[in-house]
Amino acid sequence: MLARVFSASVNGIEASPVEVEVNSDYGDFRVVIVGLPDAAVRESQDRVLTALSNSGYRPPMGRTTINLAPADVRKEGPSFDLPIALGMLAASEQIITDQLDNFILIGELALTGAVRPCRGVLPIAIQAKRDGLIGVLVPKDNAPEAAVVEGLQVIPIQNLREAAQFLEGEIKISPVKVDVSKVFDQPVDDPLDFADVKGQESVKRALEIAAAGGHNILMIGPPGTGKSMLAKRIPTILPPLTLEEALETTKIHSIVGLMRAGQALVTQRPFRAPHHTASDAGLLGGNINPTPGEISLAHNGVLFLDELPEFKRSVLETMRQPLEEGHVTISRAAGTMTFPSQFMLVAAMNPTPDGKMPGESKSSPREIQNYLGRISGPLLDRIDIHVEVPAVRFREMSEARPGETSAEIRTRVVAARRRQIERFAGRPVTCNARMGARDLKQHCRLDESTLNFLKMAMDEYKLSARAYDRILKVSRTIADLAGSESLTAEHVSEAIQLRSLDKQLWG
């Protein structure tokens, strides 16, 4: 007998429907799986057969053919265990049900018949809603993640027998429901706060501007000045995620397997800090079957690269296109995948190999130039703000009065972002750092005196055309923080100061 069960596979950050066709026939016992299965899918026959026996069902006796359609799309992972097992039961008439056409089924089976959690549940649930199905049968631990999709019945399954009995109508299982607003309202106990940072007021100001406009920033200073400490606190001043951003971020984290059991959504902006030994594939994504890398895991959040010159130059150069376009496209033999990568780049580095400022360093000029030369000019041009992080004076460290809190800074950042949202309403632009040429002409107009001032600065520092655009974008953000509609010489002057440090060091 032939049975058909619906499942899904994940390609990139989207899911595509998969029909699991199971045909039981006479002949010698044999199970054949076709339809471009990977090793995990091919091995499922042993897990499924043992799970069937341990769940009280009879394994198929003759030749069983399992086709995963469409046959030209590679199927990966153990999430096809549950649909294959239920397809075998339907094909051998051990269960009689008309519900198989109404649900997408996913889940890995233990040898006992228990259903284990799997990756990529949220994009699969979205696909089920798009295909007009009633609901999804998913592992119990993944149910809250799927339940954020409105209008879809999410049935939590603990074991194979429970799934079979539900489909036959022998038992009723209440669908899981999630109140998304309550998920966002849950308090976050974050021990990090800008109030803990002593001194460094100019750096805090630069970070506030970067957070308000979504600008990339490079901090340059000797070891022990608090660069990492400051970077780790940036998420505490960023605006909260919107529902759309949370869904997109959750899909990426779900595919990689970073969702906790029972977690419905990623509600906090991600902070990723890969080690400087990271490879191209680790940072951008890839491998044989393309998967998201660190820059995609930092989507809608912060990517912190500490000790920037210690990263391989080839790795840093591959980031130039994602920084500009907001996504990364990876082509492999298995296919081409596009992953979103709209992140805020925060980098930190020492000014010289021995960590001291150039005037105090014992390194030779050639050693300093070789060290700084590990970072290319085109990459520096894509970093909007360059700020010096000086050593903290004893008086500032011993000061008892706490600094400004993250909550106070965040209030100003959110107000500035709100102005940007209103300005770019109906456009794909989300913040000043993402403005295009047309937006710059419309929203960054300068009067004649301010334009002449900027021209003098461009000539003096020998800034590139890309740097010109960056200065205008940062100026627009400074004006938004000040609540000003027009750009003034004061705004432009501060933006130039936040841009000129690289010319002082790199010459």
Side-chain angles (χ1 to χ4, degrees):
M1 180 180 175
L2 176 66
R4 185 182 67 168
V5 179
F6 289 113
S7 189
S9 64
V10 177
N11 301 299
I13 64 168
E14 302 298 333
S16 56
V18 173
E19 289 187 18
V20 181
E21 298 173 317
V22 182
N23 185 75
S24 279
D25 210 339
Y26 299 104
D28 295 335
F29 173 75
R30 188 182 178 191
V31 176
V32 178
I33 302 178
V34 296
L36 279 184
D38 72 348
V41 179
R42 287 195 298 270
E43 291 172 355
S44 68
Q45 59 178 299
D46 297 316
R47 291 192 298 273
V48 168
L49 293 174
T50 306
L52 286 171
S53 297
N54 290 332
S55 300
Y57 295 105
R58 183 186 75 251
M61 303 302 292
R63 178 185 173 90
T64 301
T65 304
I66 300 164
N67 179 41
L68 307 177
D72 59 346
V73 177
R74 189 170 181 81
K75 319 302 185 307
E76 302 173 2
S79 62
F80 293 101
D81 289 3
L82 183 63
I84 288 174
L86 291 169
M88 284 182 172
L89 292 177
S92 60
E93 299 183 338
Q94 296 184 69
I95 62 170
I96 307 296
T97 177
D98 58 357
Q99 294 297 310
L100 291 176
D101 289 342
N102 296 328
F103 293 91
I104 278 183
L105 283 62
I106 53 172
E108 176 185 349
L109 288 178
L111 298 184
T112 60
V115 179
R116 290 173 171 161
C118 53
R119 302 178 180 183
V121 169
L122 178 57
I124 290 173
I126 293 172
Q127 183 62 41
K129 175 72 179 297
R130 193 177 295 143
D131 290 342
L133 298 178
I134 292 176
V136 292
L137 269 66
V138 299
K140 184 178 180 181
D141 288 344
N142 294 131
E145 179 186 339
V148 300
V149 181
E150 295 182 357
L152 193 70
Q153 290 187 25
V154 178
I155 309 300
I157 299 299
Q158 298 187 73
N159 55 65
L160 175 59
R161 177 163 285 279
E162 185 178 69
Q165 291 176 334
F166 169 79
L167 291 171
E168 284 193 295
E170 293 183 10
I171 61 172
K172 290 186 178 181
I173 302 175
S174 299
V176 172
K177 297 186 182 298
V178 170
D179 188 336
V180 175
S181 61
K182 288 184 178 179
V183 174
F184 276 96
D185 290 341
Q186 289 177 355
V188 179
D189 185 20
D190 195 338
L192 302 178
D193 198 291
F194 267 94
D196 304 329
V197 182
K198 302 292 185 180
Q200 305 294 16
E201 297 305 320
S202 62
V203 185
K204 291 179 187 177
R205 168 66 176 170
L207 292 175
E208 179 181 337
I209 294 169
H215 302 288
N216 303 321
I217 183 169
L218 171 62
M219 295 183 287
I220 306 173
T225 53
K227 299 187 292 295
S228 298
M229 184 180 185
L230 287 159
K232 291 175 182 177
R233 283 158 176 75
I234 292 175
T236 66
I237 64 173
L238 289 173
L241 284 170
T242 64
L243 176 58
E244 183 180 354
E245 289 175 331
L247 286 171
E248 199 166 41
T249 305
T250 302
K251 285 201 287 187
I252 298 170
H253 285 237
S254 175
I255 291 164
V256 180
L258 295 180
M259 299 291 288
R260 301 187 307 273
Q263 183 181 5
L265 276 174
V266 175
T267 56
Q268 302 301 311
R269 292 191 180 273
F271 179 87
R272 304 294 299 183
H275 193 260
H276 59 75
T277 56
S279 64
D280 298 33
L283 204 62
L284 268 73
N287 299 320
I288 298 174
N289 300 311
T291 54
E294 289 290 342
I295 65 172
S296 295
L297 292 172
H299 181 59
N300 293 321
V302 175
L303 178 69
F304 177 47
L305 301 184
D306 200 6
E307 304 294 345
L308 187 64
E310 302 300 329
F311 283 81
K312 294 178 183 176
R313 179 156 180 165
S314 62
V315 174
L316 295 178
E317 292 304 297
T318 57
M319 290 179 53
R320 284 160 51 180
Q321 184 181 358
L323 280 171
E324 201 74 27
E325 298 182 357
H327 64 264
V328 57
T329 300
I330 302 166
S331 296
R332 296 290 186 271
T336 299
M337 304 292 177
T338 298
F339 301 110
S341 59
Q342 285 196 6
F343 57 90
M344 177 180 164
L345 174 63
V346 179
M349 62 175 287
N350 298 328
T352 60
D354 59 5
K356 294 180 170 50
M357 293 304 290
E360 306 168 353
S361 174
K362 295 181 180 179
S363 302
S364 68
R366 179 177 290 277
E367 289 174 332
I368 294 174
Q369 197 59 45
N370 289 340
Y371 177 75
L372 296 174
R374 297 177 188 175
I375 304 168
S376 68
L379 179 61
L380 278 174
D381 275 348
R382 286 169 170 80
I383 301 177
D384 305 353
I385 298 173
H386 313 124
V387 60
E388 181 183 351
V389 186
V392 183
R393 292 172 293 185
F394 177 78
R395 181 173 57 82
E396 295 172 329
M397 288 189 291
S398 60
E399 193 174 36
R401 182 174 61 87
E404 197 173 24
T405 65
S406 292
E408 292 170 320
I409 301 173
R410 191 184 201 189
T411 300
R412 296 194 296 270
V413 169
V414 170
R417 283 288 183 103
R418 192 177 297 118
R419 294 186 183 96
Q420 295 165 49
I421 291 171
E422 293 171 357
R423 179 182 302 127
F424 304 125
R427 301 280 313 286
V429 181
T430 55
C431 58
N432 288 336
R434 297 288 171 187
M435 284 194 290
R438 190 178 74 176
D439 299 307
L440 287 172
K441 289 181 180 179
Q442 183 177 354
H443 304 298
C444 299
R445 295 192 180 96
L446 302 177
D447 58 41
E448 188 174 350
S449 62
T450 306
L451 190 61
N452 289 334
F453 172 72
L454 178 54
K455 181 180 181 299
M456 290 172 56
M458 292 282 296
D459 293 339
E460 180 179 350
Y461 292 115
K462 295 181 174 59
L463 298 172
S464 67
R466 185 178 281 114
Y468 171 80
D469 290 348
R470 305 287 177 184
I471 288 171
L472 288 180
K473 292 176 182 180
V474 174
S475 301
R476 180 67 267 170
T477 300
I478 294 170
D480 288 339
L481 283 168
S484 173
E485 283 300 320
S486 59
L487 299 185
T488 66
E490 182 182 356
H491 302 144
V492 174
S493 176
E494 185 175 4
I496 291 170
Q497 290 302 314
L498 293 171
R499 183 77 208 182
S500 59
L501 180 61
D502 67 319
K503 296 304 172 185
Q504 298 172 24
L505 290 175
W506 279 265

